[in-house]
Amino acid sequence: MSTSLSPSASASGRPPIADAGPQSLCAREPRVPAERLVAEMVPPPRFDSVRFDTYDPDPAQPSQSEAVTVLADFAAGLGGAHASGSGKKRWFSRTPKSTAPTGPRGVYLDGGYGVGKTHLLASLWHATPAEPALKAFGTFVELTNLVGALGFQQTVQTLGGHRLLCIDEFELDDPGDTVLVSSLLSRLVEQGVALAATSNTLPGKLGEGRFAAADFLREIQGLSAHFRPLRIDGQDYRHRGLPEAPAPFSDEQVTKAAYATEGASLDDFPGLLEHLARVHPSRYGALTDGITAVCLTDVGPVPDQSTALRLVVLADRLYDREVPVLAAGVPFDRLFSDEMLNGGYRKKYFRAISRLTALARDAKPLVSQ
């Protein structure tokens, strides 16, 4: 249920709104055609302008500077003609096979949340000397959605003429999807496509907020020989040297800010969580199309793990699109229970807290002081 007020609402003493009030995410049920899924396989808006020289390595973590050097060399090595001999993108044509290249044809960025893996992955995409139509960038979920929309063989044909495929947040939680994507990547490697990936943790894998490269390589089985693990140590950069995140505002402050911000959405948090269960996660990006700020009232702890995982996906899409989040209720670091934060999906939840906190910091100026 949305908390959007009518244009004539004046309970808070503000003047009536002559035109439309805030939008509601709960009123949206987007449909995403396959063509859009393919066209959007580029770095998201937040990472559209990042480059290796805009990455800010932590001086206390030499592995971060080393990663920049290794990835820049890797990108430079992808120049020249594609192994298939084609310089044009093939959408629905058959791509001839080529001999698989010798040695590692991919890199796996191994590190905890907030060390800049996505920044580096997007920088690799930008630095690879090939036209955008010959490079693809997407999350694991977006890649599986593409296979679902086009079919396995058509996806191979669509991506087979590419120079590089970057996969962010490689999901290892679903064995079926892992096998599916591993099979797809094997076919693409045969056709000379270079690979780069980051990953999320397996269920039951605890540790220090990072996923072990050995586990990743074991899960992708036959593909392991094609990846060179590249460890990136460090702390969450989103909070390095930054002030504390703003405390949640009142429902009245959030509602007033939503009405004063053109293009903002306004929803109550429980209603939004219910709506997310009715929208496939592949559509969460489209759900936020045209939204300049997400305003939420009555934010409280997430009731169960299925709901929590859907919220993680929404947080990722909002962060990718740089959409500020203004919230009333409990702080974002209290969204997930201790049981969740100590369970197998802990890395996802900590990443969501980190990203939502950064977006809350971005939203602070929306509230009139």
Side-chain angles (χ1 to χ4, degrees):
M1 182 179 68
S2 169
T3 59
S4 298
L5 303 177
S6 68
S8 60
S10 58
S12 64
R14 61 180 178 276
I17 304 298
D19 300 318
Q23 304 176 63
S24 170
L25 296 181
C26 294
R28 295 183 163 201
E29 296 186 6
R31 296 291 181 266
V32 183
E35 293 82 359
R36 174 171 172 173
L37 293 177
V38 176
E40 291 187 343
M41 291 199 73
V42 297
R46 178 175 289 273
F47 300 99
D48 183 55
S49 61
V50 301
R51 299 295 187 271
F52 288 130
D53 60 5
T54 65
Y55 182 73
D56 184 21
D58 185 345
Q61 304 291 346
S63 63
Q64 295 187 7
S65 296
E66 180 184 358
V68 172
T69 300
V70 172
L71 290 172
D73 290 343
F74 182 77
L78 298 180
H82 182 270
S84 69
S86 170
K88 295 183 178 180
K89 182 176 182 178
R90 290 178 176 82
W91 248 71
F92 299 107
S93 61
R94 190 173 299 278
T95 305
K97 286 187 177 182
S98 63
T99 302
T102 58
R105 184 67 176 174
V107 290
Y108 164 62
L109 308 186
D110 175 28
Y113 61 91
V115 298
K117 297 190 304 296
T118 301
H119 184 133
L120 291 172
L121 194 66
S123 298
L124 172 63
W125 188 93
H126 288 297
T128 296
E131 58 183 281
L134 294 179
K135 301 180 287 187
F137 184 106
T139 65
F140 180 89
V141 171
E142 289 168 336
L143 188 59
T144 57
N145 291 336
L146 184 65
V147 175
L150 298 182
F152 184 86
Q153 294 298 334
Q154 190 57 63
T155 304
V156 172
Q157 294 171 20
T158 300
L159 300 178
H162 281 54
R163 192 78 52 80
L164 172 68
L165 171 61
C166 295
I167 308 170
D168 199 20
E169 301 164 15
F170 201 114
E171 298 279 359
L172 296 166
D173 307 315
D174 186 321
D177 282 346
T178 300
V179 172
L180 171 68
V181 174
S182 294
S183 300
L184 172 65
L185 298 185
S186 295
R187 293 285 298 276
L188 295 178
V189 167
E190 290 176 1
Q191 299 190 29
V193 180
L195 307 174
T198 70
S199 76
N200 289 323
T201 187
L202 280 169
K205 286 291 182 183
L206 305 180
E208 299 176 355
R210 55 183 295 276
F211 180 80
D215 292 328
F216 173 80
L217 297 177
R218 182 184 65 247
E219 289 298 315
I220 61 175
Q221 300 176 13
L223 274 175
S224 61
H226 297 292
F227 281 93
R228 170 186 175 178
L230 186 60
R231 179 166 176 169
I232 306 170
D233 298 304
Q235 301 299 315
D236 187 350
Y237 80 92
R238 282 180 283 271
H239 309 300
R240 191 197 309 162
L242 293 176
E244 290 294 323
F249 295 98
S250 68
D251 283 354
E252 181 180 0
Q253 286 175 305
V254 170
T255 301
K256 183 176 181 181
Y259 273 86
T261 304
E262 184 176 357
S265 65
L266 177 62
D267 295 274
D268 73 90
F269 190 65
L272 178 61
L273 294 182
E274 291 180 6
H275 185 61
L276 292 180
R278 297 188 291 269
V279 179
H280 192 274
S282 66
R283 302 171 184 169
Y284 288 2
L287 188 69
T288 66
D289 281 351
I291 297 296
T292 61
V294 167
C295 299
L296 300 171
T297 60
D298 196 23
V299 173
V302 180
D304 57 76
Q305 186 152 268
S306 295
T307 302
L309 291 173
R310 287 190 289 268
L311 180 61
V312 168
V313 177
L314 178 64
D316 287 341
R317 300 293 80 80
L318 292 172
Y319 183 77
D320 288 345
R321 288 160 174 76
E322 300 181 293
V323 181
V325 177
L326 189 67
V330 304
F332 285 137
D333 61 4
R334 291 169 51 193
L335 286 175
F336 308 109
S337 67
D338 289 341
E339 182 180 2
M340 292 179 185
L341 295 178
N342 288 304
Y345 298 102
R346 68 188 299 270
K347 181 177 177 182
K348 295 183 181 183
Y349 300 142
F350 278 112
R351 186 182 76 240
I353 291 171
S354 171
R355 291 183 165 186
L356 288 171
T357 297
L359 295 177
R361 191 179 292 117
D362 293 342
K364 187 176 180 181
L366 299 178
V367 177
S368 299
Q369 300 300 318

